[in-house]
Amino acid sequence: MPRTSAPRGAIRFRISPTRPLLMVEAEVNGQGPFNFVLDTGASFCVITPKTAAAIGLKPAGKKPTAIGAGGRIQASLAKLKNFRLGSHAVRNLGVAIMALDHIEQRLGVEVAGLVGYNFLKAFVVTLDYPNGLLRLKRRAVRMRKPVKR
């Protein structure tokens, strides 16, 4: 049975039929939607070179080696103007640009990138598996106590 649209503020996710990975649709720099994997174990968001080309994103110059489930992978770094899941956006988000062939092969579907910690840390994240919903709530900003002199 097809699901209805998500309740206000929630994002629908799908679970890959071949692996227990959560798939969400995201907008990148105002374009999309693109198919992303929600990866709570990734410290950084990732977009593929194909996605970067589609949105006209150029690497910033640094080329670190990323280490993940697929082993060591060469990456480039860049900044997105805006990354949006549903109604929730983060501006000036750092991303790694790297191939995700190993994930695409396992899933049997094209993936535009990974949603990682550097996006998720701005929110309280709730996963409602029975209803296939991701809920994001902006974290309250904590005020530091003034320093006594």
Side-chain angles (χ1 to χ4, degrees), residues 4-135:
T4 59
S5 62
R8 185 170 180 231
I11 298 119
R12 264 249 180 252
F13 66 78
R14 306 168 311 287
I15 298 177
S16 163
T18 58
R19 299 280 181 185
L21 294 175
L22 304 181
M23 309 292 295
V24 293
E25 290 185 345
E27 286 185 11
V28 183
N29 288 353
Q31 297 181 48
F34 295 99
N35 207 22
F36 275 74
V37 172
L38 184 67
D39 189 345
T40 59
S43 56
F44 221 60
C45 289
V46 173
I47 64 171
T48 64
K50 182 177 178 180
T51 306
I55 64 169
L57 185 67
K58 304 280 189 233
K62 292 184 180 180
K63 293 195 180 259
T65 299
I67 301 172
R72 291 180 179 272
I73 302 170
Q74 194 64 36
S76 298
L77 298 178
K79 253 200 209 297
L80 299 177
K81 292 177 188 172
N82 189 295
F83 185 83
R84 177 179 300 277
L85 286 181
S87 61
H88 309 283
V90 171
R91 292 187 174 147
N92 300 315
L93 183 69
V95 294
I97 301 171
M98 60 191 226
L100 297 174
D101 300 341
H102 60 287
I103 292 174
E104 291 179 329
Q105 289 170 358
R106 289 181 184 157
L107 294 177
V109 66
E110 187 173 328
V111 173
L114 306 176
V115 181
Y117 172 75
N118 66 326
F119 174 85
L120 296 171
K121 72 180 180 181
F123 305 96
V124 173
V125 179
T126 305
L127 291 171
D128 176 352
Y129 277 91
N131 292 305
L133 296 173
L134 165 66
R135 289 187 171 86

